[in-house]
Amino acid sequence: LAKIADLKVISRTSTQQYQSKPGNLSEIARQLGVAHILEGSVQKVGDAVRINVQLIKAEGDSHLWADTYDRKLTDILAVESEVAQRIATSLEAHLTGGEQQQIANVPTLNPQAYDAYLRGLALIVRQSSDDVEKGRKFFQQAIELDPGYAQAWAQLSIAESELYFGEHSQPRLEGARAAAETAIRLQPELSDAHSALGLFYYLCLQDFDRASSSASRPWPFT
């Protein structure tokens, strides 16, 4: 019988404090309360992209799996699904039909929307109000290019919530709520969407109980 693993994925916001090339993976894994860490790098030359990914078992710093993906820029959006499936297989995780569908989902087929989304992510992690506002504009641009881009809606909500925390304006409050609700409507099991809703409750409404219950939903595994 195949081993069934119960998995959880630590949110990106929890890992922002660490360097892009951390030295002590075992210590970071201990601090995060995880058993495995996923590392990766991206190299782009013209319209060609090379993505290197490796899954590391924190205890003993051993590699469970590593692979390299060479893609055209227009095909890069499907790599995330491939990597997620390989991780689940490497960890011997049992996936339901709904979870397999989540993994197979490609966030957007619009390369320009994806580029705007990535630019927004690079800015919002800096957490200064100026950078968060610049990131918000990129997420808005991604949504204008692809209105069904749930991840961009979720990050737009996060940006609005962080900006509201500093200025307490009604438009920010309404924008954060609407963007989070839109992300969940578009992709109900998206972890970023529930994190966005949790952050909205936490920063905007200071409803800590609802923040905890909203942000703690597992993705995409149970």
Side-chain angles (χ1 to χ4, degrees):
L1 293 176
K3 176 183 176 183
I4 298 177
D6 292 325
L7 304 180
K8 67 176 181 178
V9 179
I10 296 297
S11 69
R12 190 190 66 260
T13 53
S14 299
T15 63
Q16 288 174 359
Q17 60 182 302
Y18 302 106
Q19 300 176 10
S20 60
K21 295 182 179 180
N24 192 337
L25 291 180
S26 296
E27 175 59 21
I28 292 174
R30 186 191 66 79
Q31 293 175 10
L32 293 173
V34 299
H36 303 85
I37 291 179
L38 184 68
E39 281 191 325
S41 63
V42 179
Q43 297 174 303
K44 177 178 176 293
V45 179
D47 65 346
V49 179
R50 167 164 288 187
I51 302 171
N52 296 298
V53 187
Q54 55 184 348
L55 183 64
I56 301 171
K57 185 175 182 179
E59 184 179 356
D61 197 17
S62 59
H63 289 70
L64 291 181
W65 160 73
D67 208 342
T68 298
Y69 298 84
D70 291 308
R71 296 288 190 275
K72 294 295 184 181
L73 190 59
T74 53
D75 299 327
I76 195 174
L77 301 177
V79 173
E80 181 178 331
S81 296
E82 293 182 44
V83 171
Q85 183 60 61
R86 286 296 303 272
I87 293 170
T89 300
S90 297
L91 296 179
E92 300 180 311
H94 173 73
L95 303 181
T96 67
E99 290 163 348
Q100 291 174 350
Q101 185 177 4
Q102 280 295 117
I103 284 182
N105 178 68
V106 177
T108 180
L109 296 175
N110 188 315
Q112 290 76 28
Y114 186 60
D115 180 72
Y117 171 79
L118 292 180
R119 291 177 186 274
L121 286 183
L123 287 162
I124 198 173
V125 295
R126 300 177 186 176
Q127 296 188 329
S128 73
S129 57
D130 287 344
D131 286 326
V132 173
E133 173 59 27
K134 291 175 183 176
R136 186 198 68 79
K137 291 179 179 178
F138 276 115
F139 297 135
Q140 186 65 55
Q141 180 182 340
I143 290 166
E144 291 171 358
L145 291 165
D146 182 358
Y149 196 169
Q151 287 180 331
W153 280 107
Q155 293 303 323
L156 176 63
S157 175
I158 290 172
E160 294 282 20
S161 291
E162 292 182 356
L163 291 167
Y164 173 84
F165 188 70
E167 63 186 59
H168 288 83
S169 70
Q170 190 65 24
R172 297 286 191 203
L173 180 71
E174 295 172 355
R177 183 199 299 272
E181 291 176 348
T182 300
I184 291 174
R185 176 177 56 80
L186 289 170
Q187 199 170 337
E189 297 302 320
L190 179 66
S191 61
D192 281 359
H194 291 280
S195 294
L197 187 60
L199 193 66
F200 166 75
Y201 287 132
Y202 188 89
L203 293 181
C204 299
L205 301 186
Q206 296 188 356
D207 186 339
F208 305 124
D209 290 338
R210 293 184 74 181
S212 178
S213 62
S214 296
S216 62
R217 293 191 51 153
W219 179 95
F221 313 100
T222 57

